[in-house]
Amino acid sequence: MSKTRKNSVAFCGGAFGDEGKGRIVDEYVNNFSKDFKVILYRDNGGANAGHTVETSDGKRLALHQLPSGVFVKDSTIILGKGMVLHPGDLAEEIRQVKEATGGKLIVDIQIDEMAVLALDTHRAFENVLKEWQEGGKGATGRGISPAYSDVLLRHPLRMRDLANFDEAKIRKHYQMYSCIIKGLNGDLSTATVKCLGGEGEITVGDEDAFINRLMEQVKEIKPYIKSVFSLLAEAWQDPKYAFVFEKAQAIGLDPRYGVYPDVTSSDTTFAGISSSTEGVIDHNLIENRIAVIKATYMSSVGARRLPTLVKDELADKIREDAHEYGATTKRPRDIAYLDLPALRFFCKSGCVSALALTHMDIVYPGKPVKVCTAYEINDKEVPYRPDQEYLDKVKPVYKEFKPWNVDEIQKAKNEAELPKESKTFLKFISKELGIPVQVITTGPRRDQSLIF
Ligand code: IMP
């Protein structure tokens, strides 16, 4: 195996999303920015993601398509080929970021001209599909799966089609989706879809209205649409640069490794970085590939039935204490005990090399921290498999850990100050998953994190 590239780190969600990657990514970008030019690259997903970022003066902003780190001065932010981007929502996000930094961007945003468009047509189609089949019921309504399907069906619109405004191609796209939706008893022109800004919802309108809206939106984002590959290739070889990759969603939502069909449509593993960068960056050469997971429990939105679901009042308590409501959809999240068989599978299929454990302060006095260490069927140990019917049959085997003191862990400034019980817990998780723990977060404040 070749040597890894120094000063490169990638983050992904290690379970079902919403693990709190954002602030850790922010911290790494900040730290690197003191000594390096930083490239922050996102390779998958689109407006289905959601995270809150904070400016240095404490302003908070909910972002979807832009990664965390947009407030770290002079970094270069690349939205990669593997993403599906909504131009209107992106223009609105860029506007909000600009506003938060005094009317001018303090970072260089580059949108790969090869990134795929996820448009109002896709959102309308997704809504109609929800009426027709069970599979897509949990989707976020941001048109993610229809946009990725365009690629497999070999008729995607890419950012460069928008930048060059290939009107004939865009009109054909509208006409095709209009026909598909009509065939499913819908009407594209009167369909309403979610959007950022304004009323939060718009009517798609007829073909001309759709074209005119895109013409307006492209004016705002055109300056950022570029070919990014030579910059990526040169910077990867140049030690003046540090690289941070922030993936969206999580390995448990990958269409191949998550519980189908309650999955998203992008490659949520680190391998997605290789394909999005057309092999310019080999994900195996990234120095640290860190999966972020919640330390003492798991959470999930969607229809999946988790084998370790918490069924008593502990779930409500955790949901309130850790604000477990969807960032994009506001849906209350299911709460489950930490599921090591699932995490073992996700770490392996996701090409993970280290762990970040968040929410170490979600423990309660006198209440053991319960962890599922294995699954059994008919008293025989079995592995995790991404198949709901199979998972419905497994019986989780639990091990309990003594809770640690919340005050003590929240105040810990280094590893030595961590409560003894929390160290025992961390050691166990790392050993079971066969991966070192590199970061933990010990409370909601930005400074409550430790990097080992
Ligand atoms: P889609 O990505 O909109 O197609 O949604 C498919 C599934 O992935 C649904 O169960 C969503 O709730 C889930 N999902 C998509 N993005 C996220 C995320 O950022 N966090 C958690 N769940 C997500």
Side-chain angles (χ1 to χ4, degrees), residues 16-18 48-49 138-140 144 249 253 262-264 301-302 304 331:
F16 304 108
D18 313 304
N48 51 347
T140 57
I144 303 299
Q249 285 81 46
L253 294 173
D262 197 19
V263 290
T264 189
V301 276
R304 70 189 69 82
R331 286 179 286 181

Side-chain angles (χ1 to χ4, degrees), residues 190-229:
T190 58
T192 53
V193 293
K194 290 176 191 156
C195 68
L196 264 188
E199 303 294 307
E201 209 169 68
I202 53 157
T203 303
V204 179
D206 64 14
E207 194 176 311
D208 286 337
F210 177 72
I211 290 284
N212 291 338
R213 197 162 55 247
L214 280 176
M215 272 179 172
E216 281 309 305
Q217 291 166 352
V218 73
K219 279 188 205 154
E220 287 189 61
I221 61 169
K222 194 170 172 178
Y224 309 108
I225 303 173
K226 311 214 161 115
S227 171
V228 300
F229 293 99

Side-chain angles (χ1 to χ4, degrees), residues 4 120 298 379 441 447:
T4 55
D120 297 332
M298 287 165 114
D379 298 324
T441 68
D447 61 340

Side-chain angles (χ1 to χ4, degrees), residues 248-303:
Q249 285 81 46
I251 307 169
L253 294 173
D254 187 281
R256 303 149 303 171
Y257 306 121
V259 176
Y260 189 87
D262 197 19
V263 290
T264 189
S265 305
S266 62
D267 185 341
T268 61
T269 73
F270 288 120
I273 296 168
S274 288
S275 53
S276 182
T277 60
E278 297 184 350
V280 168
I281 290 162
D282 174 350
H283 65 282
N284 293 303
L285 302 186
I286 298 172
E287 196 172 25
N288 291 301
R289 300 180 305 274
I290 304 179
V292 184
I293 57 177
K294 286 164 189 163
T296 58
Y297 67 96
M298 287 165 114
S299 75
S300 143
V301 276

